[in-house]
Amino acid sequence: MKQYDVAVIGLGIVGASAVYAAAWAGARVLALDAGAPGGGTSGASFAWLNAVRKEPETYHRLNAAGMTAHRELSRELGGDAGHHDGGSLEWAEGADEDRELRERVRRLASRGYPAEWITRARAIGLEPSLAIPDHVREVAFYAADAWLDAPRLIGRLLAAAGARGADIREGATVRSLRSRGSRVEAAVGDDTEMVAQSFLVCVGPATQAFLDPLRVVIPVGRVPGFLAVTSRPAQPLHRVVHAPGIHLRPDAGGGLLLGAEDVDSLAASAGPPAALGEAAALLLERAARVFPSARRVKVVDTRLGVRPMPADHHTIAGRIPGFANAWMIATHSGVTLGPLLGRLLADEIVRGVPSSMLVPFRPERFATAGAAAG
Ligand SMILES: Cc1cc2nc3c(=O)[nH]c(=O)nc-3n(C[C@H](O)[C@H](O)[C@H](O)COP(=O)(O)OP(=O)(O)OC[C@H]3O[C@@H](n4cnc5c(N)ncnc54)[C@H](O)[C@@H]3O)c2cc1C
């Protein structure tokens, strides 16, 4: 039987990043996904790389470090690895919203994050096809923000890991982990068991259900999110834009990617596909108000994803309580954080070097039970 140092379960952006980092560190890696890598939440994400609305400061710093990890990874992989620079723009409507935005820009800038106010004219210089209302005199600009073609990066990470000997298997559902005392001994598949020295669980929104049989309670909720993809507009959009009631960015296929927080819940309760069409039409109507070229595009696709949402909204990354050789990562903002968390946990598992940055984000803060009997 082939020997593995680490088995990574789940190949979204988080697991694929860990597979890459572990293979890079010299480990013999087994990488398993129930479906196609990137086919889960990571393939249905807005994928804005940012640390803009991430509080408290420790979580903001983790996300900012995640953005740095993305830039390093993109340079390391070379060619098109899906990373799109350009920053992001935001403006608000209403006194409360404007006050919140001003306070946020001030707070971010005081932490050294690239956040500033630019004139309306300069914002239009950056995005000539944007219809910023006349009364908006200044726009917030976050120069270091980016967006990611997540499926592309996942493909590149796994190809690079495969070239270093990682054994990557799609359509390989792990039904359970077989454990004895405080050790996980094998990942149990449909008709086979896979043995490794260590296990890393990166199953995104399936985390809680996956860990349940081990009698480990780590509260990771499932929060639906909805996006619409349009055909290619006559005028291009170059970066992420947050306008009142709508956020939009270029999609990897050349169209626009549209979302709005209130439409998420509408779409989640929508039921039949016709209702999803209504949610998409609403997004398109809102987009056309700030990006007039959107009046002549069509919705060509919709994406309904499920966010893995830790109970306190913050990353959970570390050893699974009660187990000596099994680790987990579950996080919102996983597209921003995937490469950083994958690298930090690969360092911990393969090299035995824990990161001080992860101290506030360990699973123990939720743990209520220990290991299952073997
Ligand atoms: C609409 C929307 C907008 C978002 N916007 C942003 C954003 O702008 N910026 C940002 O950073 N984040 C954003 N997020 C959140 C982000 O997309 C997620 O945090 C991230 O994709 C989670 O990645 P993951 O690898 O943990 O999970 P996933 O991508 O879901 O990957 C988990 C994988 O595990 C596999 N799996 C599950 N169970 C098993 C099993 N039993 N055996 C084997 N494999 C299994 C699945 O097939 C899947 O491929 C958004 C999410 C949504 C839905």
Side-chain angles (χ1 to χ4, degrees), residues 56-358:
E57 189 168 352
T58 45
Y59 189 52
H60 163 80
R61 299 246 174 250
L62 189 75
N63 279 270
M67 295 163 69
T68 304
H70 265 286
R71 282 191 289 274
E72 288 167 0
L73 188 58
S74 179
R75 272 197 297 275
E76 198 169 288
L77 289 169
D80 178 5
H83 189 269
H84 297 265
D85 281 319
S88 76
L89 295 168
E90 179 177 6
W91 71 92
E93 289 288 357
D96 287 351
E97 291 78 0
D98 192 57
R99 202 173 309 116
E100 190 279 327
L101 180 56
R102 286 191 177 275
E103 171 56 22
R104 180 148 43 84
V105 169
R106 190 203 55 72
R107 186 171 61 240
L108 290 170
S110 75
R111 290 174 182 166
Y113 192 76
E116 61 178 319
W117 288 101
I118 61 173
T119 61
R120 181 174 178 279
R122 192 171 151 216
I124 289 173
L126 290 172
E127 286 294 348
S129 304
L130 215 49
I132 303 171
D134 287 343
H135 65 269
V136 175
R137 308 313 307 161
E138 286 186 316
V139 173
F141 181 48
Y142 311 108
D145 293 6
W147 64 271
L148 186 76
D149 177 353
R152 182 166 187 91
L153 179 61
I154 291 167
R156 292 286 311 274
L157 289 169
L158 294 177
R164 287 189 165 245
D167 184 352
I168 295 156
R169 302 189 197 167
E170 321 190 356
T173 304
V174 175
R175 298 290 170 199
S176 60
L177 295 177
R178 180 166 59 73
S179 64
R180 178 187 293 271
S182 66
R183 288 193 71 77
V184 171
E185 294 187 329
V188 182
D190 282 327
D191 46 21
T192 177
E193 284 202 348
M194 291 148 288
V195 174
Q197 291 299 316
S198 301
F199 295 81
L200 174 59
V201 177
C202 302
V203 295
T207 302
Q208 201 167 315
F210 189 88
L211 293 178
D212 234 22
L214 293 175
R215 291 193 257 138
V216 176
V217 179
I218 305 279
V220 181
R222 298 167 50 88
V223 178
F226 177 74
L227 299 170
V229 185
T230 74
S231 55
R232 186 184 289 270
Q235 267 79 42
L237 179 72
H238 303 93
R239 52 183 54 72
V240 175
V241 174
H242 282 77
I246 186 79
H247 44 268
L248 59 160
R249 67 158 172 85
D251 185 55
L256 302 169
L257 187 64
L258 314 177
E261 274 159 35
D262 60 326
V263 178
D264 278 353
S265 43
L266 202 86
S269 56
L276 285 186
E278 281 170 30
L282 181 59
L283 290 177
L284 190 54
E285 183 203 310
R286 290 186 190 177
R289 286 186 217 150
V290 294
F291 192 72
S293 277
R295 286 187 197 128
R296 287 173 296 280
V297 300
K298 288 197 176 70
V299 172
V300 294
D301 195 10
T302 56
R303 296 175 189 158
L304 197 51
V306 180
R307 299 175 177 91
M309 190 62 78
D312 60 5
H313 292 202
H314 298 145
T315 300
I316 309 171
R319 217 182 286 255
I320 299 174
F323 292 90
N325 67 331
W327 280 259
M328 64 167 294
I329 305 174
T331 190
H332 182 48
S333 299
V335 177
T336 303
L337 290 167
L340 174 72
L341 297 176
R343 195 181 69 205
L344 294 181
L345 277 216
D347 279 353
E348 190 165 323
I349 297 168
V350 180
R351 300 194 173 109
V353 185
S355 163
S356 58
M357 199 182 263
L358 291 179

